[in-house]
């Protein structure tokens, strides 16, 4: 009788140090170029000493058209006569190796993988080095599983869409509402995943879903039918920013186009977006893949073309290289026969996908002899990986309110009532696009490490349809020294293809919270699990609820992290990566309105443009200590040198008082600002310094303010740390006009650093003469 997988997993972990595991993994056979295959090992495309493009061209030249066509889809066929195995391109690694895609499966020596907090939670850490570190761990585990024959090497992660509307069910997968934050997250997580060495990649990442995709299913409108009407300004200023960072700074190997149309054209058939922007302007060195079945959706659902072969041809000509789905495998042959595309068009698509496979070493012969070939079961769910998952959860938790009751005391709060539908959950903590975790610590289990617990769920699930368990919850609160309510959402409320109807707590959750708070003998703390914001104005204003914590979806170690924050082992330092709006906001804003800026009765979106009331603002987050900021070095004037080659005379004038970025010499050095961060409390703490800029007054296309940078710094109680911030006019003080052109407004800009405000005067300089 075989060992249960859970026991086998434990045995693997216990003896990992000896590099031994029950049921040893057989080595994966070579994908191609097997040195034992005399027919193929000497083929030109197998010779690793040749340049990549030479090898790619040789391989494509050996393929027949039918073979080429069957390589245009995610479940690519084997080509036995050339010694090439079949390959499944679709794997996911949003916040840990996932089995959502068919390319990855768990079992045997790989019963699970480290499950980090959901992305929205990790983004709240504002810690770039953490994001890259998580990426490296995830790709180590992915490579180990690939070596064991359980996963691929192409991972369609991360999701870097802007969390524009608080109801979006997939907002949890994103780094939040700010394009700079999302862009920095994208670049650093991709670098960690891909861990490039020269041209070689550990795994290939993919930034998705390009572009202006953030509706799944709302009020009768779904992602398959939605036409996102987006201005050039919002596209350049908001929606495209994280994708550009992903390609230009992160050097990502792939970009995924989305289901929706943008301004009447499917993204996967728009040459301006794919060939023009992603590959042309940004210089993608990799492949472009469709969201799954989106090429079919173009024809079957959107009726974009009259025939299926026209849809296939439009996608390939636009720059699509790989179809997640069968559509190109079925209809490309007829597209070629009808002359809608040529075989050369197919070759160009294959060149992009095969190049990435070669950069992954898939045509280099024996996997075990390659870099990362030594990774195996002992490298998955290691103690250091699981510790990083715990640390990520600690850093992402946000303290929203604290009237002084936190942290709890192990001497004064010996008995804690733990109440709520999310109080003893496990799988809920890992959100969506997750795999099988190494193990879990629920909030109840975490709190039990600090105090005796009395547990009542209060509601059978987050829908909380009845109040028949409320009395038991109230009784528990009356008899405890402190009460912790763990409430919020789960994937039954917000998920892919499930947008939220509103922002309030589901069902009768609010009643449960209020009744328990009234009954509680000691302090009452509300802990919220969710991806999106929740209108908890009632709790914010209720003096009986002394503290509110947002834990997001905190991953496999979430319960430990929550308890560590509650009892002060961890001093919280997370900041909200999205605005928490009141419920009445969504009544004024249809999800289908893609405009970012306010107009008429439309209030605008995100902290950058919306000026109305909020429950908690973007960047909000408290600490158990206090911090003070002081500007130690702060220039007051900056000169913007202009590119003299672009002007015919020296009589150039700034008619709009805003210089086009492409007319400025953007390779000029940044200006350095020094900010002293002093911990004025009595507890060590980590502070996230957020730096915003506001343009000169009167710039009609400008945001209210925009994030230009952030630093996370640990400061010991009573001491200070100096933080150095680079400010560059082109990158940090520019705005986008109504034509989608990025400009640098001249005049007085404001920097907002914590509670400080500093003015900088920008002046254009042409050949040393101020213009």
């Amino acid at each position: 009788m075989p060992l249960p997988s859970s026991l086998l997993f434990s045995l693997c972990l216990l003896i990992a140090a000896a590099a031994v595991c029950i049921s040893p993994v057989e080595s994966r056979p070579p994908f191609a170029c097997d040195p034992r295959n005399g027919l193929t090992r000497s083929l030109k495309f197998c010779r690793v000493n040749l340049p990549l493009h030479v090898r790619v061209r040789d391989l494509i030249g050996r393929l027949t058209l039918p073979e080429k066509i069957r390589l245009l889809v995610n479940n690519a066929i084997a080509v036995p006569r050339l010694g090439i195995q079949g390959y499944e391109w679709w794997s996911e690694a949003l916040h840990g190796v996932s089995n959502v895609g068919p390319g990855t499966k768990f079992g045997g020596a790989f019963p699970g993988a480290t499950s980090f907090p959901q992305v929205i939670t990790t983004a709240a850490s504002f810690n770039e080095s953490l994001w890259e570190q998580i990426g490296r761990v995830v790709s180590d585990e992915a490579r180990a599983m690939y070596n064991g024959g359980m996963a691929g090497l192409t991972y369609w992660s991360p999701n870097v869409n802007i969390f524009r509307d608080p109801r979006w069910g997939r907002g949890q997968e994103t780094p939040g509402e700010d394009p700079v934050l999302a862009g920095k997250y994208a670049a650093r997580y991709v670098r960690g995943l891909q861990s490039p060495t020269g041209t070689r990649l550990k795994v290939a990442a993919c930034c998705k879903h390009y572009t202006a995709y953030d509706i799944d299913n709302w009020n009768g409108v779904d992602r398959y039918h939605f036409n996102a009407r987006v201005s050039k300004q919002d596209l350049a200023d908001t929606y495209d920013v994280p994708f550009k960072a992903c390609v230009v700074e992160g050097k990502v190997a792939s970009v995924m186009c989305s289901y929706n149309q943008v301004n009447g054209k499917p993204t996967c058939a728009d040459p301006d977006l794919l060939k023009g922007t992603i590959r042309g302007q940004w210089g993608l060195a990799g492949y472009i893949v469709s969201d799954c079945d989106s090429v079919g959706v173009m024809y079957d659902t959107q009726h974009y073309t009259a025939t299926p072969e026209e849809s296939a041809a439009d996608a390939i000509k636009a720059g699509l290289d790989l179809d997640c789905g069968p559509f190109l495998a079925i209809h490309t042959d007829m597209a070629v026969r009808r002359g809608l595309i040529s075989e050369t068009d197919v070759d160009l698509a294959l060149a992009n996908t095969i190049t990435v496979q070669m950069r992954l070493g898939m045509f280099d012969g024996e996997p075990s002899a390659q870099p990362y070939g030594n990774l195996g079961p002992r490298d998955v769910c290691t103690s250091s990986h699981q510790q990083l998952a715990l640390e990520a959860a600690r850093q992402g938790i946000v303290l929203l309110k604290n009237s002084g009751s936190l942290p709890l005391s192990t001497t004064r709060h010996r008995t804690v009532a733990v109440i709520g539908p999310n109080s003893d959950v496990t799988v809920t903590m890992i959100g969506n696009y997750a795999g099988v975790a190494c193990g879990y610590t629920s909030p109840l289990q975490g709190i039990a490490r600090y105090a005796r617990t009395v547990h009542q769920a209060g509601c059978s699930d987050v829908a909380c349809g009845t109040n028949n368990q409320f009395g038991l919850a109230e009784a528990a609160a009356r008899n405890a020294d402190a009460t912790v309510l763990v409430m919020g959402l789960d994937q039954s409320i917000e998920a892919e293809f499930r947008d939220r109807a509103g922002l309030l707590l589901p069902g009768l959750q609010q009643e449960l919270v209020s009744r328990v708070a009234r009954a509680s003998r000691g302090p009452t703390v509300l802990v919220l699990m969710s991806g999106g914001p929740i209108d908890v104005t009632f709790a914010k204003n209720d003096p009986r609820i002394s503290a509110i914590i947002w834990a997001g979806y905190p991953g496999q170690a979430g319960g430990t992290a929550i308890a560590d924050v509650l009892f002060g082992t961890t001093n919280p330092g997370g900041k909200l990566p999205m605005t928490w709006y009141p419920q009445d906001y969504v009544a004024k804003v249809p999800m289908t309105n893609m405009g970012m800026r306010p107009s008429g009765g439309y209030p605008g979106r995100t902290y950058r443009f919306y000026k109305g009331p909020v429950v908690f603002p973007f960047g909000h987050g408290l600490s158990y200590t206090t911090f003070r900021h002081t500007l130690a070095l702060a220039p007051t004037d900056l000169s913007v040198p202009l590119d003299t080659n672009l002007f015919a005379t020296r009589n150039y004038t700034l008619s709009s008082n805003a210089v086009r970025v492409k007319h400025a010499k953007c390779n000029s050095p940044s200006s350095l600002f020094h900010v002293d961060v002093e911990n004025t409390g009595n507890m060590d703490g980590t502070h996230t310094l957020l730096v915003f800029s506001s343009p000169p007054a009167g710039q009609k296309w400008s945001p209210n303010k925009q994030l230009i940078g952030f630093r996370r710094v640990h400061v010991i109680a009573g001491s200070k740390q100096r933080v150095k911030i680079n400010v560059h006019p082109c990158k940090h003080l520019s705005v986008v006009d109504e034509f989608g052109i990025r400009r640098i407004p001249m005049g007085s800009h404001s920097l907002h650093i914590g509670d400080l405000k500093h003015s900088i005067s920008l002046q254009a300089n042409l050949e040393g003469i101020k213009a």
Side-chain angles (χ1 to χ4, degrees), residues 453-661:
T453 57
V454 181
H455 179 237
Q456 289 292 334
C459 305
S460 57
D461 53 35
V462 295
C464 200
T466 67
N467 62 7
N468 56 13
Q469 299 180 55
F470 288 12
L472 294 172
E474 290 171 295
R478 285 191 196 100
N479 294 298
D481 300 321
T483 298
V484 176
L485 286 141
V486 191
M487 313 297 287
L489 314 178
D490 64 14
Q491 302 306 304
S492 70
I493 304 295
E494 54 176 357
E496 185 170 13
F497 216 66
R498 184 176 292 125
D499 296 325
R500 294 160 66 193
L503 304 182
L504 300 176
L505 283 169
L508 301 177
Q509 282 196 43
Q510 180 171 327
E511 180 188 341
L512 174 61
V513 173
S514 295
R515 283 177 55 172
V516 166
R518 284 195 298 268
S520 182
R521 188 179 77 196
T524 300
V525 180
L526 174 61
V527 177
L528 297 167
M529 280 192 200
S530 71
I534 304 171
D535 182 353
V536 288
T537 303
F538 80 97
K540 177 183 175 183
N541 296 334
D542 188 343
R544 291 165 297 200
I545 300 170
S546 56
I548 305 174
I549 285 172
W550 178 67
Y553 293 122
Q556 65 176 47
T560 300
I562 289 169
D564 288 347
V565 169
L566 288 171
F567 283 89
T569 303
T570 294
N571 189 349
K575 303 285 187 183
L576 289 179
M578 72 297 204
T579 301
W580 283 38
Y581 302 90
Q583 168 67 15
D584 62 2
Y585 170 83
V586 298
K588 307 170 188 173
V589 181
M591 278 192 79
T592 49
N593 190 326
M594 302 295 290
M596 297 300 297
R597 289 157 172 80
S599 61
Y602 179 69
R605 296 186 181 273
T606 77
Y607 80 92
R608 296 165 66 224
F609 303 104
Y610 170 68
K611 295 182 180 179
V614 300
V615 182
F616 296 108
F618 173 90
H620 176 71
L622 306 175
S623 171
Y624 295 150
T625 189
T626 53
F627 297 96
R628 181 166 58 216
H629 309 98
T630 307
L631 277 174
L633 176 66
T636 56
D637 296 283
L638 290 180
S639 178
V640 181
L642 304 183
D643 189 342
T644 56
N645 295 324
L646 295 172
F647 304 100
T649 72
R650 292 174 61 176
N651 296 323
Y652 170 72
T653 59
L654 297 172
S655 57
S656 65
N657 205 34
V659 177
R660 287 192 181 199
V661 165

